[in-house]
Amino acid sequence: HENRENPTSRSQFIIPQSSPEVHMICVTGVLGATHGEIEHHLEMGRKLLAAGQLAEALSHYHSAVEGDSKNYLTYYKRAAVFLAMGKSKSALPDLTRAIQLKPDFLAARLQRGNILLKQGNTQEAREDFEAVLQRSPDHEEAHDQLTKANELEELQEDAHAAYHQGDYSTTITVLERVIEISPWDPESRELRAECYIRMGDPQKAIQDLTPTTRLRNDNRAAFLKLSMLHYSLGEHHESLNHIRECLKLDQDDKECFSHYKQVKKLSKQLDSAEELIQEERYQNAIEKYESVMKTEPNVQYYTNLAKERICFCLVKVKLANEAIDVCSEAHQRDPRNANVLRDRAEAYILNQDYEKAVEDYQEAREFDGDNNEIREGLERAQKLLKISRKRDYYKILGVSRNANKQEIIKAYRKLAQQWHPDNFQSESEKKEAEKRFIDIASAKEVLTDPEMRQKFDAGEDPLDPENQQGGGGGQQGWPFHFNPFESGGSFHFKFQYN
């Protein structure tokens, strides 16, 4: 567990087998080292420590301790290396041994008191500082640290009192100073994390709980809580990582294993759903996201996400009405979600409801102003709205925006027969029929030509003279560059079905 605090493994401190020093270390460990050999290890340890080569320094101090287990100074120096490596828990036994061997060793007393204070152990820390002051009444650092220990004890009592009264804000304020004095105390961080949870701030709770997994040897409770907090925030991969850490400590932990099964199942479904979207298997992705909502019905984040992605998929498969329904529900659940507004706008475009599409894109831009896709979508929706106020070829033929060529030709034939001018008697009726017939023919030409249809879908009318170079005098919109009705009433128009 010491390695959990610092990833450096003790195996790194071992000198390779080929080294001649190995034999010496083995012999000294069994037979006891000479004074010269111990001095050599201490000197090497000092030099390596000064050079920042901590693992190598520690190796020499291990040899010095093994060579002379009665030398208080070797324990003290090894403790200094542990502290430099951030392993305060390993330093404590060495400092305690040094004090046992030399009770008046004030430097070790002071160092141990400082560690105990940082760990939040006020009573034991106070005893060490008082022992220093007993032998050296004017010791300034010991005096300052004793004052801090007394302050810490009062603050800890204040924090617990405020917490039990339900005053979480005050508890947090008091604990800020507590943690400042005792940063290695897991209990104060756990208490503050609990306050943040109760105040609805899981992110800050995570920040406090994360270091406690290293400050306690077997902190399965913290790993479980961290996993559950990440899970509630929708961070399922992080959640899975933390719950696995809990099971590494004890694979039979029932609470951790139960939560692990849930997170793993949900995480797998979410990853699979996104893979299906990447593969453009939208119907399968919809089914997978419906499974997500069944697996986790109680955490709002996952239902919101599922609705958002189903909305996206329904637009992709061009089921406009279903998409509008799901997107509208997703929008109610998460009103500031720009992706939902973008997708609903596209569904409205499929339904030729351009005004609503423009409204949704404008709202989406408020929440995500730098998004190029939203900016381009808004421009396209505005163009389509402008065109629809002139001519909308889909509406003229009465077909949907995803109609295929056969459906377009079928609609054209039916309307062309219905609105042929020869079917009408009065002059006014004939003129109206001519106008309608020209629009019907124009719509058929644009929507059966892939290039022209693509332009129209992008918000440009390919038959609008304004969009054509040198376009001018002819009757707007007649696709065959002449109007058969201009030759007089005796003309009988015959049209081909192609």
PDB file of all heavy atoms in Angstrom, residues 67-84:
ATOM      1  N   GLY A  67      23.068  -2.865   8.813  1.00  0.00           N
ATOM      2  CA  GLY A  67      24.408  -3.049   9.346  1.00  0.00           C
ATOM      3  C   GLY A  67      24.522  -2.678  10.812  1.00  0.00           C
ATOM      4  O   GLY A  67      25.316  -3.265  11.551  1.00  0.00           O
ATOM      5  N   ASP A  68      23.726  -1.691  11.234  1.00  0.00           N
ATOM      6  CA  ASP A  68      23.785  -1.260  12.639  1.00  0.00           C
ATOM      7  C   ASP A  68      22.387  -0.835  13.071  1.00  0.00           C
ATOM      8  O   ASP A  68      21.988   0.312  12.893  1.00  0.00           O
ATOM      9  CB  ASP A  68      24.784  -0.107  12.789  1.00  0.00           C
ATOM     10  CG  ASP A  68      24.929   0.315  14.256  1.00  0.00           C
ATOM     11  OD1 ASP A  68      24.294  -0.323  15.121  1.00  0.00           O
ATOM     12  OD2 ASP A  68      25.665   1.277  14.521  1.00  0.00           O
ATOM     13  N   SER A  69      21.631  -1.769  13.646  1.00  0.00           N
ATOM     14  CA  SER A  69      20.232  -1.501  14.022  1.00  0.00           C
ATOM     15  C   SER A  69      20.122  -0.705  15.319  1.00  0.00           C
ATOM     16  O   SER A  69      19.017  -0.418  15.774  1.00  0.00           O
ATOM     17  CB  SER A  69      19.466  -2.817  14.150  1.00  0.00           C
ATOM     18  OG  SER A  69      20.073  -3.608  15.155  1.00  0.00           O
ATOM     19  N   LYS A  70      21.253  -0.332  15.901  1.00  0.00           N
ATOM     20  CA  LYS A  70      21.222   0.430  17.164  1.00  0.00           C
ATOM     21  C   LYS A  70      21.602   1.902  16.954  1.00  0.00           C
ATOM     22  O   LYS A  70      21.653   2.669  17.917  1.00  0.00           O
ATOM     23  CB  LYS A  70      22.205  -0.183  18.194  1.00  0.00           C
ATOM     24  CG  LYS A  70      21.933  -1.636  18.544  1.00  0.00           C
ATOM     25  CD  LYS A  70      20.634  -1.797  19.299  1.00  0.00           C
ATOM     26  CE  LYS A  70      20.418  -3.253  19.720  1.00  0.00           C
ATOM     27  NZ  LYS A  70      19.084  -3.460  20.267  1.00  0.00           N
ATOM     28  N   ASN A  71      21.860   2.264  15.686  1.00  0.00           N
ATOM     29  CA  ASN A  71      22.299   3.636  15.406  1.00  0.00           C
ATOM     30  C   ASN A  71      21.087   4.514  15.104  1.00  0.00           C
ATOM     31  O   ASN A  71      20.473   4.393  14.035  1.00  0.00           O
ATOM     32  CB  ASN A  71      23.279   3.616  14.227  1.00  0.00           C
ATOM     33  CG  ASN A  71      23.909   4.979  13.981  1.00  0.00           C
ATOM     34  OD1 ASN A  71      23.358   6.015  14.369  1.00  0.00           O
ATOM     35  ND2 ASN A  71      25.065   4.974  13.340  1.00  0.00           N
ATOM     36  N   TYR A  72      20.753   5.389  16.050  1.00  0.00           N
ATOM     37  CA  TYR A  72      19.552   6.236  15.880  1.00  0.00           C
ATOM     38  C   TYR A  72      19.647   7.139  14.645  1.00  0.00           C
ATOM     39  O   TYR A  72      18.647   7.451  14.002  1.00  0.00           O
ATOM     40  CB  TYR A  72      19.326   7.090  17.138  1.00  0.00           C
ATOM     41  CG  TYR A  72      20.321   8.217  17.322  1.00  0.00           C
ATOM     42  CD1 TYR A  72      20.033   9.483  16.855  1.00  0.00           C
ATOM     43  CD2 TYR A  72      21.541   8.008  17.981  1.00  0.00           C
ATOM     44  CE1 TYR A  72      20.946  10.514  17.022  1.00  0.00           C
ATOM     45  CE2 TYR A  72      22.449   9.022  18.146  1.00  0.00           C
ATOM     46  CZ  TYR A  72      22.157  10.306  17.661  1.00  0.00           C
ATOM     47  OH  TYR A  72      23.042  11.321  17.816  1.00  0.00           O
ATOM     48  N   LEU A  73      20.889   7.547  14.284  1.00  0.00           N
ATOM     49  CA  LEU A  73      21.068   8.488  13.176  1.00  0.00           C
ATOM     50  C   LEU A  73      20.722   7.863  11.825  1.00  0.00           C
ATOM     51  O   LEU A  73      20.193   8.536  10.936  1.00  0.00           O
ATOM     52  CB  LEU A  73      22.519   8.975  13.169  1.00  0.00           C
ATOM     53  CG  LEU A  73      22.761  10.419  12.730  1.00  0.00           C
ATOM     54  CD1 LEU A  73      21.856  11.397  13.445  1.00  0.00           C
ATOM     55  CD2 LEU A  73      24.229  10.783  12.947  1.00  0.00           C
ATOM     56  N   THR A  74      21.002   6.567  11.675  1.00  0.00           N
ATOM     57  CA  THR A  74      20.685   5.905  10.396  1.00  0.00           C
ATOM     58  C   THR A  74      19.170   5.872  10.170  1.00  0.00           C
ATOM     59  O   THR A  74      18.698   6.059   9.048  1.00  0.00           O
ATOM     60  CB  THR A  74      21.248   4.468  10.359  1.00  0.00           C
ATOM     61  OG1 THR A  74      20.717   3.742  11.459  1.00  0.00           O
ATOM     62  CG2 THR A  74      22.758   4.456  10.390  1.00  0.00           C
ATOM     63  N   TYR A  75      18.423   5.628  11.234  1.00  0.00           N
ATOM     64  CA  TYR A  75      16.942   5.641  11.118  1.00  0.00           C
ATOM     65  C   TYR A  75      16.458   7.043  10.745  1.00  0.00           C
ATOM     66  O   TYR A  75      15.573   7.203   9.910  1.00  0.00           O
ATOM     67  CB  TYR A  75      16.300   5.195  12.436  1.00  0.00           C
ATOM     68  CG  TYR A  75      16.434   3.720  12.711  1.00  0.00           C
ATOM     69  CD1 TYR A  75      17.367   3.244  13.641  1.00  0.00           C
ATOM     70  CD2 TYR A  75      15.640   2.797  12.043  1.00  0.00           C
ATOM     71  CE1 TYR A  75      17.493   1.890  13.903  1.00  0.00           C
ATOM     72  CE2 TYR A  75      15.754   1.439  12.298  1.00  0.00           C
ATOM     73  CZ  TYR A  75      16.685   1.000  13.221  1.00  0.00           C
ATOM     74  OH  TYR A  75      16.795  -0.344  13.465  1.00  0.00           O
ATOM     75  N   TYR A  76      17.051   8.038  11.393  1.00  0.00           N
ATOM     76  CA  TYR A  76      16.634   9.425  11.156  1.00  0.00           C
ATOM     77  C   TYR A  76      16.894   9.828   9.703  1.00  0.00           C
ATOM     78  O   TYR A  76      16.054  10.456   9.052  1.00  0.00           O
ATOM     79  CB  TYR A  76      17.377  10.362  12.101  1.00  0.00           C
ATOM     80  CG  TYR A  76      16.988  11.816  11.929  1.00  0.00           C
ATOM     81  CD1 TYR A  76      15.733  12.265  12.334  1.00  0.00           C
ATOM     82  CD2 TYR A  76      17.871  12.733  11.361  1.00  0.00           C
ATOM     83  CE1 TYR A  76      15.363  13.591  12.180  1.00  0.00           C
ATOM     84  CE2 TYR A  76      17.505  14.065  11.198  1.00  0.00           C
ATOM     85  CZ  TYR A  76      16.252  14.482  11.611  1.00  0.00           C
ATOM     86  OH  TYR A  76      15.881  15.796  11.453  1.00  0.00           O
ATOM     87  N   LYS A  77      18.077   9.425   9.199  1.00  0.00           N
ATOM     88  CA  LYS A  77      18.433   9.805   7.824  1.00  0.00           C
ATOM     89  C   LYS A  77      17.566   9.052   6.805  1.00  0.00           C
ATOM     90  O   LYS A  77      17.201   9.598   5.772  1.00  0.00           O
ATOM     91  CB  LYS A  77      19.916   9.552   7.583  1.00  0.00           C
ATOM     92  CG  LYS A  77      20.781  10.567   8.319  1.00  0.00           C
ATOM     93  CD  LYS A  77      22.251  10.351   8.098  1.00  0.00           C
ATOM     94  CE  LYS A  77      23.056  11.452   8.812  1.00  0.00           C
ATOM     95  NZ  LYS A  77      24.507  11.266   8.631  1.00  0.00           N
ATOM     96  N   ARG A  78      17.263   7.781   7.124  1.00  0.00           N
ATOM     97  CA  ARG A  78      16.387   7.049   6.208  1.00  0.00           C
ATOM     98  C   ARG A  78      14.987   7.678   6.200  1.00  0.00           C
ATOM     99  O   ARG A  78      14.342   7.772   5.147  1.00  0.00           O
ATOM    100  CB  ARG A  78      16.303   5.568   6.600  1.00  0.00           C
ATOM    101  CG  ARG A  78      15.522   4.744   5.567  1.00  0.00           C
ATOM    102  CD  ARG A  78      15.661   3.256   5.761  1.00  0.00           C
ATOM    103  NE  ARG A  78      14.971   2.785   6.953  1.00  0.00           N
ATOM    104  CZ  ARG A  78      14.860   1.494   7.285  1.00  0.00           C
ATOM    105  NH1 ARG A  78      15.414   0.564   6.519  1.00  0.00           N
ATOM    106  NH2 ARG A  78      14.231   1.137   8.387  1.00  0.00           N
ATOM    107  N   ALA A  79      14.524   8.138   7.358  1.00  0.00           N
ATOM    108  CA  ALA A  79      13.225   8.834   7.433  1.00  0.00           C
ATOM    109  C   ALA A  79      13.228  10.075   6.551  1.00  0.00           C
ATOM    110  O   ALA A  79      12.226  10.385   5.889  1.00  0.00           O
ATOM    111  CB  ALA A  79      12.923   9.212   8.875  1.00  0.00           C
ATOM    112  N   ALA A  80      14.362  10.771   6.507  1.00  0.00           N
ATOM    113  CA  ALA A  80      14.476  11.982   5.674  1.00  0.00           C
ATOM    114  C   ALA A  80      14.280  11.648   4.196  1.00  0.00           C
ATOM    115  O   ALA A  80      13.634  12.397   3.452  1.00  0.00           O
ATOM    116  CB  ALA A  80      15.833  12.641   5.888  1.00  0.00           C
ATOM    117  N   VAL A  81      14.823  10.489   3.778  1.00  0.00           N
ATOM    118  CA  VAL A  81      14.649  10.067   2.371  1.00  0.00           C
ATOM    119  C   VAL A  81      13.183   9.728   2.100  1.00  0.00           C
ATOM    120  O   VAL A  81      12.615  10.129   1.081  1.00  0.00           O
ATOM    121  CB  VAL A  81      15.546   8.848   2.032  1.00  0.00           C
ATOM    122  CG1 VAL A  81      15.370   8.456   0.560  1.00  0.00           C
ATOM    123  CG2 VAL A  81      17.006   9.169   2.302  1.00  0.00           C
ATOM    124  N   PHE A  82      12.565   8.983   3.038  1.00  0.00           N
ATOM    125  CA  PHE A  82      11.138   8.656   2.867  1.00  0.00           C
ATOM    126  C   PHE A  82      10.305   9.932   2.715  1.00  0.00           C
ATOM    127  O   PHE A  82       9.408  10.010   1.875  1.00  0.00           O
ATOM    128  CB  PHE A  82      10.630   7.842   4.063  1.00  0.00           C
ATOM    129  CG  PHE A  82      10.951   6.371   3.992  1.00  0.00           C
ATOM    130  CD1 PHE A  82      11.531   5.708   5.082  1.00  0.00           C
ATOM    131  CD2 PHE A  82      10.654   5.635   2.858  1.00  0.00           C
ATOM    132  CE1 PHE A  82      11.812   4.354   5.030  1.00  0.00           C
ATOM    133  CE2 PHE A  82      10.926   4.268   2.790  1.00  0.00           C
ATOM    134  CZ  PHE A  82      11.512   3.630   3.876  1.00  0.00           C
ATOM    135  N   LEU A  83      10.597  10.948   3.526  1.00  0.00           N
ATOM    136  CA  LEU A  83       9.858  12.210   3.461  1.00  0.00           C
ATOM    137  C   LEU A  83      10.086  12.894   2.119  1.00  0.00           C
ATOM    138  O   LEU A  83       9.152  13.432   1.517  1.00  0.00           O
ATOM    139  CB  LEU A  83      10.280  13.141   4.606  1.00  0.00           C
ATOM    140  CG  LEU A  83       9.696  12.810   5.980  1.00  0.00           C
ATOM    141  CD1 LEU A  83      10.350  13.660   7.058  1.00  0.00           C
ATOM    142  CD2 LEU A  83       8.181  13.025   6.001  1.00  0.00           C
ATOM    143  N   ALA A  84      11.334  12.862   1.640  1.00  0.00           N
ATOM    144  CA  ALA A  84      11.645  13.475   0.339  1.00  0.00           C
ATOM    145  C   ALA A  84      10.902  12.754  -0.787  1.00  0.00           C
ATOM    146  O   ALA A  84      10.569  13.351  -1.812  1.00  0.00           O
ATOM    147  CB  ALA A  84      13.147  13.417   0.084  1.00  0.00           C
TER     148      ALA A  84
END
